[in-house]
Structure formats: structure tokens, C-alpha cells
Amino acid sequence: CNTGLFPDSNRGPRHTYEMATLASLGDRKIVRLVADSVSHQATKESGHESEKPVAMLEHFFRMLVDDSSRVLDPTGGSGNALRAAQNLHAAGGVFCELEEPYVKVFNKEQANAGIEV
């Protein structure tokens, strides 16, 4: 979508990718092998400035999330990380967010989906 950041517009290109850190507790084995990169159109449906598409999150979560997984999203934002985990049948998840407007949107969407918060 040709959006991204210019670290220095006089010396380099626009960065049209984001990097993430993936962490697991213990010696967790890969559930499914997937590519280490994927391209998706950016979404801003919730209004959160760094919202990630559910489909993109699912791509990476397939590596580790299965029905025995409990997923922590310490920067909940739009809630898409927990939606992706739910779509992959995670056993549970924890959503943490400090900004009240995003918490309200997340709670409303969960209730509309019939999911207890």
C-alpha cells in the first residue's frame, strides 16, 4: 500500500514492513512451519494506529498456536491478536490494553461474538 516510515528521506527508502519479536515459554516446538514473511493490506478498522490484520497474525500464529495454547497480548490495541488466536482454537488468551477507548471496542466486539470477557 506504499505506506511506511522514512528513517531518513535523504538517504534511504521507505520501510514498508514491520518486524516483530516472537517469544514462547520453555522448549515449545513449532506446530506448523510457515514462511517468515507475509504481505497484507494494512487495516485501521478499530482506529488503532498500529492495527495488524487478523489474517496476517494468523499466518504467524500458526507456527505456535494450537488448542493447548494460552496467548498473552500485552499491548492489546484492536484485539486482533486474540481474534487470530481464537480462530486457531487457542485454549485461552489474555488481552491487556491501557487506552480505555480500545478496551471498550474490544469488549463490545467480544460480546457481539458471544465470547465472555
Side-chain angles (χ1 to χ4, degrees):
C1 60
N2 205 30
T3 61
L5 301 173
F6 285 106
D8 182 341
S9 61
N10 293 316
R11 293 179 182 81
R14 179 191 317 249
H15 293 302
T16 58
Y17 61 89
E18 290 187 50
M19 296 177 61
T21 300
L22 180 66
S24 65
L25 185 60
D27 187 25
R28 177 75 182 205
K29 303 292 189 233
I30 295 292
V31 173
R32 183 179 309 157
L33 188 59
V34 300
D36 66 355
S37 65
V38 65
S39 177
H40 278 278
Q41 184 71 28
T43 60
K44 301 291 181 204
E45 295 170 11
S46 71
H48 194 276
E49 61 273 2
S50 63
E51 181 176 344
K52 307 298 181 280
V54 172
M56 186 270 303
L57 293 166
E58 284 179 18
H59 171 83
F60 293 112
F61 285 7
R62 277 192 215 97
M63 285 190 288
L64 296 172
V65 176
D66 62 15
D67 60 2
S68 68
S69 302
R70 298 189 186 283
V71 176
L72 168 66
D73 187 357
T75 57
S78 66
N80 283 353
L82 284 191
R83 282 186 202 78
Q86 289 167 346
N87 291 347
L88 295 169
H89 310 289
V94 176
F95 172 87
C96 301
E97 176 58 58
L98 295 176
E99 300 293 328
E100 187 64 27
Y102 301 124
V103 173
K104 287 180 180 179
V105 169
F106 176 78
N107 287 340
K108 181 180 177 184
E109 290 177 1
Q110 293 296 93
N112 289 342
I115 299 169
E116 185 178 328
V117 179

